[in-house]
Amino acid sequence: MSEISDESSNYPNLKYYVHNRFSGQDPSIIDFYDKAFLSFYLAYDENDDDQIIDTSSPPTLIPSVVDADTGLGWSLSSENNWSLDTIDENSVANNYSIFVTAEFDNCSTYAAPVVFNIAAEENINSGCSNIFGGISSGPAYGWGGANPTIPAANKYDGNCNDLKYGGNYIREVYIGHVKSHNVQMDRLVSFTGNGGGSEVQFCRASSREQITVDSLNNINLSNWDTRTLMYWKRKEIRKKRLRLAAIKWDENWSCEGYEEQLFVIYEEDNEGTLTIGDSVSFENGDSTYSLDVNVTIDNKSKDQVIIKRTRTNQEFFVVNLLDQGCGGGHGAGSFGDRIWGWQDCGTPFQYNMWHRWIDVTDNTTYF
Amino acid sequence: MKKCNTFISFLVLFFLNFAYSQEVTKKQISTFPSSLFELNVSYGIQGNFFVDYGESVVKAADGDIIPFRDAFGFNLYQKEFIGDYKAIRFSTRLGGRNFLELGYEVGTNRGEFSIITQTDSGTRVVVNDFELDEVNRYFSLTYKRGLGKTNRWFLLGAVSYLHLESSTIEISPSANFISVEESNPTNSYLEELAGQLGVQYYFYNSGRFSLGLETRAYFIISYGPELETWSFAPILKYNF
């Protein structure tokens, strides 16, 4: 423990977390999350025998500091002593283990791969470039907080003035749950190394930041803004598993103006070229500018794209809580009190998306 | 696990019975013939441990499976635990009591469903006595070794390339969504690597023909290992 706390620059507030998590003063890691610049990731919620992993005992805490197949994790013994153990894929898959990652970007403090919370006490740095200006107001809302005020399920009527509450806000969008449809994306065996489970990539192309302008003044985009891998074992696919993805797809999708984003799911291979092309457009809220961006992104895949959709901010937040032809499912954590519409049913991976918007002046979250 | 224990108990009793029969007729038993090549076929039953899809199989009074329901709606996935089993194999003797065998084995489990429901848009959905299949096809390479010198008992182990076929229906009334589909190796890469362990016992011989019983446990080894099916079947062998 001391080794971790001594490296506070690498593991800010981890000691605080551990203390509160296990001393009984604050049994929930939920409240902690927004007090520290950490995020937590539960890699497996079921073990190899398909049993829900027991979370009643303290988890093994694994600081995420390097990319490796094995690492070190801190475990609390029955004698209340911390020990440092070597962990690997197998131990993580069969024991309650939480990866802890330092979030150095204050602007993304609210991102939590598994634990979504709201009841924050300290103010976020409002100097973040991706936070819009405004005036703070609105009721505090926290999962498990005192007298929570639950706002109406859908505040997104398309009118940004209704949405803003006059606050400085960010608007986050997540890939929530994903369900497999018993379609393996790779062969069992591949002599080129592509066999086995499926490496499913969830991508977003929007980009006011990454565009380039060519000699003909065409505006082009050739990189994803976000791309997150979700690995599916063959077993999980065959059993039509419903899994928690909790992938932050967009950390701040603005409300003002018109903004299209390209939503893409594809399966990655180590060879082949899958060129995904489309166009997305933007229009500033006060019509000071508009852009048409040509999207051409090369990816390594031998397959066709699984899902490619153009979403706009003016339709997404209006329909995201509605049945979009596939029914709906509850979210997890603080998203759990709402039904989020399943999307693209009948495809190999159907999913729902969760969104929330956070008044960063007083750390109030709205859905 | 309960199904598995019942199945194992049944097999143990069955083989004990034959062992007893063997003891009684011991003096009359001669060594069964063994030649360089063998062709054997078998047809019997198998229990499939996957086809409940992790949910209890609940049946209506007429024996039809009642679809289990989740957040998506009605899932017509499950099949009967007991299904039929067919196999054809060609063996060659490597020398002594050792054999190498190429085999094609098929296990089929079926589930019959009846359901009447209505989507939110008013469309009535009727599934009437509809049978859905789960088919496992094993392409196997088996090593088999005789126990003793009578050519009656054999132990075997195998690796198999497994093709899976699964037909399912999903009905989501609230979403006005209905899916009827078959997933197979062609459209969904449903293929796995499997292993086998088994026993064969021959109790009757006439000329080049021998009649016996066999049981095999099939495991998925590309993920797992996980017990997939357990077969039990009479086997007819022809010696070339």
Side-chain angles (χ1 to χ4, degrees), chain B residues 71-180:
Chain B
F72 298 88
F74 298 105
N75 297 302
L76 285 64
Y77 293 167
Q78 297 171 310
K79 318 294 186 312
E80 300 283 355
F81 173 68
I82 298 293
D84 62 30
Y85 173 83
K86 293 167 279 191
I88 181 167
R89 304 184 192 93
F90 180 78
S91 302
T92 182
R93 194 171 65 194
L94 299 173
R97 290 173 283 165
N98 303 309
F99 293 81
L100 197 62
E101 197 168 77
L102 289 174
Y104 173 63
E105 297 128 8
V106 183
T108 305
N109 296 74
R110 299 179 178 85
E112 192 163 301
F113 293 86
S114 295
I115 180 174
I116 299 175
T117 186
Q118 186 167 341
T119 67
D120 285 356
S121 64
T123 303
R124 278 172 59 80
V125 181
V126 179
V127 177
N128 190 21
D129 288 340
F130 197 77
E131 196 170 79
L132 299 171
D133 291 346
E134 195 96 11
V135 183
N136 289 11
R137 302 178 193 278
Y138 300 87
F139 302 89
S140 303
L141 178 65
T142 304
Y143 168 73
K144 190 169 74 173
R145 180 173 174 81
L147 297 177
K149 297 179 179 178
T150 60
N151 293 319
R152 289 169 172 270
W153 287 93
F154 295 91
L155 282 179
L156 57 91
V159 290
S160 304
Y161 176 52
L162 169 59
H163 271 192
L164 302 157
E165 290 178 15
S166 177
S167 51
T168 57
I169 299 176
E170 294 176 11
I171 304 169
S172 183
S174 63
N176 305 311
F177 175 77
I178 301 162
S179 161
V180 181

Side-chain angles (χ1 to χ4, degrees), chain A residues 181 184 187 234 238 350, chain B residues 72 174-175 181 188 191 228:
Chain A
H181 204 63
Q184 305 283 356
R187 303 296 300 262
R234 297 185 71 82
R238 188 183 175 207
Q350 70 185 61
Chain B
F72 298 88
S174 63
E181 66 177 345
S188 303
E191 54 189 3
E228 176 77 6

